[in-house]
Amino acid sequence: MRGVLVRWAVLTASIAVAARLIDAVHVDGGFWGHVWVAAILGLVNAVVRPVLILLTLPITILTLGAFLLVVNALSLGLVDWLSSTLDIDGFSWTLLAALVISVVAWVLEAAIGRD
């Protein structure tokens, strides 16, 4: 259970950093808005993202994994569509936000250490 909460906190912080750095990413509701978006993104990452990865496996192999950034952006775009709390101005901004969220989450998880 602790691992889930730590992952949720890391995702929340990553979304907050992306919203702070990218003017085209808007999260309403302050702290709890970020927590809500992180919860939805966590669910999308757990349920939808594995299916997307499986369906796009050939192109991911051809691009040596670079297409996973597009899969992450599609997942974030789905969260944007599902949530009224998150608003991203376009797909290019969604792609950049997915990159920022991925890098920040990776750095935070490396700093904290895996459970």
Side-chain angles (χ1 to χ4, degrees), residues 8-107:
W8 193 2
V10 165
L11 204 50
T12 300
S14 301
I15 291 167
V17 168
R20 184 82 165 156
L21 292 177
I22 304 169
D23 289 334
V25 177
H26 312 282
V27 179
D28 296 330
F31 172 76
W32 293 110
H34 289 88
V35 171
W36 176 247
V37 171
I40 296 172
L41 185 57
L43 288 173
V44 167
N45 283 343
V47 177
V48 177
R49 188 170 177 264
V51 174
L52 286 174
I53 289 172
L54 187 62
L55 291 174
T56 62
L57 190 59
I59 195 166
T60 302
I61 292 170
L62 285 174
T63 61
L64 302 175
F67 195 75
L68 285 176
L69 181 59
V70 175
V71 171
N72 289 346
L74 290 172
S75 298
L76 189 59
L78 180 59
V79 172
D80 180 19
W81 182 74
L82 290 172
S83 171
S84 61
T85 307
L86 176 66
D87 183 41
I88 304 175
D89 292 341
F91 185 74
S92 60
W93 295 112
T94 306
L95 197 63
L96 181 60
L99 178 63
V100 170
I101 290 170
S102 297
V103 169
V104 171
W106 177 71
V107 168

